[in-house]
Structure formats: C-alpha cells, structure tokens
Amino acid sequence: MAVEESTILVVDDEADVTDLYATWLEDSYDVRRAYEGREALGMLDDEVDVVLLDRRMPGLSGDEVLAELRNRELHSRVVMVTAVKPDYDIIDMGFDDYLVKPVSKDDLYTTVSGMLTRVEYDAKMQEYFSLASKKAVLETEKDEDELHRNEQYQELQAEVEQLRESVDDSRDDLESHDDFVGAFRDLD
C-alpha cells in the first residue's frame, strides 16, 4: 500500500455487499470495512477520504452515521449506496452523492474516483486562495521594485502560478456540473 493511497470506508450491514465493494476497490485504494453503524463510527478518522454508506441498517442507520460524521467535522466525502429510493428528505442530508442499488463495479469505481477528485480540488483551492491572499497583501503593502528583488516573494509568485495551473487541471477533471458544485461544498 502506497503512503499516498486514498482510504475508502465501506459500510453496509449486508456482509456480502460490503465485501464485494471492498474487493472491487482494494486494488486501487486502502479499504476499510464496517458491517454496522457503530463499527463505522469507530473507523472514521481524518484518514478516510470517501465513505460508501448504506442508508438502512439495524441499530445505527446510515443517516445517523452521516449526521455524526458531519458533527465531527470530518472532511470525508460520503456516498450513500442504498436500496432506498431518494425522496425529498435527501435535500437536507450532508452526503456528496447517492447511488441506488444494485451498483455496478464501474459505477462504484467512477463515483469514488470523482469524490477523490473533489477532495484533491478542495485542498488545492484552499491552498491557492491562501497563497493568493498573501501575495495580494504583499502587493498592496510593498512597492513593485522591492517585490521584484525579494526572493521569498518570487517563490510565492511561482507557487501561486503553479497552483493556479494545478487547480485549472483539476477543474478540467471534474466530469459534471454536480462534481463542480460539490467541489465547493466545503469551502464555505
């Protein structure tokens, strides 16, 4: 397992479903498996990038797991993977995507990949905005000649430009309007 490998948590009370999804993904990701809601909460930490979460489980439901995840202010992307047909109650839920079972391997993999693109985009955007703000403050406070001579400013300027290109590349990777909107969900 590579250090930079993304971590996926698969949560479903049907062990066969959990194991199937995990098997589909484990060649590309570090996959954790939980077979009920309380177990999932015990596995949730800052390392988990994407949670694939069944909605109806005995004991602690997927809706309750999702609410607790958001209360903990974890930045994991959450995909509800469930047999429950969506209704208007989903409007106020804090998930990032919703798949109705049965789900194919390709659909699951594409969805996880899209969620990881959002995670990467969010982090790059945060860093870009932070550095661009610092650059703007310096440009307001210092004269152009002084900035041109300052090595730290030159490095900052190069870093901002590099991040701008990286953000543009990541934005191009977002496949749909929903992905683009989702990438900004946590920026508020």
Side-chain angles (χ1 to χ4, degrees):
M1 176 179 69
V3 173
E4 67 276 4
E5 192 171 67
S6 299
T7 300
I8 313 301
L9 174 60
V10 180
V11 186
D12 198 303
D13 63 309
E14 294 180 48
D16 291 346
V17 172
T18 300
D19 293 341
L20 177 64
Y21 293 167
T23 300
W24 285 348
L25 297 169
E26 64 192 0
D27 286 342
S28 300
Y29 308 109
D30 174 28
V31 179
R32 299 177 186 179
R33 301 170 193 214
Y35 302 99
E36 54 91 23
R38 295 213 186 283
E39 182 182 15
L41 289 178
M43 294 181 167
L44 280 170
D45 56 32
D46 289 330
E47 301 285 316
V48 176
D49 299 298
V50 177
V51 179
L52 301 176
L53 182 61
D54 186 22
R55 195 160 174 203
R56 285 210 181 124
M57 297 183 289
L60 201 59
S61 73
D63 294 2
E64 292 167 312
V65 171
L66 174 62
E68 178 60 25
L69 184 147
R70 295 303 182 215
N71 284 339
R72 291 183 188 180
E73 298 182 3
L74 296 173
H75 298 290
S76 304
R77 296 293 180 187
V78 178
V79 179
M80 301 304 272
V81 185
T82 180
V84 178
K85 299 278 187 216
D87 203 352
Y88 293 107
D89 64 332
I90 68 169
I91 292 171
D92 294 323
M93 294 175 68
F95 61 80
D96 297 285
D97 206 345
Y98 197 99
L99 297 176
V100 178
K101 293 177 184 175
V103 177
S104 72
K105 180 179 180 179
D106 289 341
D107 286 344
L108 192 69
Y109 195 87
T110 298
T111 300
V112 168
S113 180
M115 292 299 107
L116 292 171
T117 300
R118 288 185 190 180
V119 168
E120 179 182 328
Y121 191 77
D122 285 350
K124 286 180 184 178
M125 278 302 270
Q126 293 288 3
E127 184 178 3
Y128 172 74
F129 285 136
S130 174
L131 293 178
S133 176
K134 293 172 185 175
K135 182 177 176 277
V137 168
L138 288 172
E139 289 171 349
T140 301
E141 297 298 320
K142 306 289 184 184
D143 68 48
E144 193 173 321
D145 288 338
E146 185 179 351
L147 290 172
H148 186 68
R149 291 189 310 270
N150 186 282
E151 187 176 321
Q152 288 176 305
Y153 175 78
Q154 295 304 317
E155 289 172 7
L156 174 64
Q157 192 171 24
E159 203 171 347
V160 167
E161 185 56 37
Q162 182 180 15
L163 270 174
R164 178 182 296 132
E165 291 171 10
S166 180
V167 166
D168 287 346
D169 290 344
S170 292
R171 186 189 65 217
D172 291 342
D173 288 343
L174 295 173
E175 295 179 22
S176 70
H177 173 73
D178 291 340
D179 282 340
F180 189 75
V181 171
F184 288 97
R185 188 178 77 84
D186 292 330
L187 291 178
D188 293 337

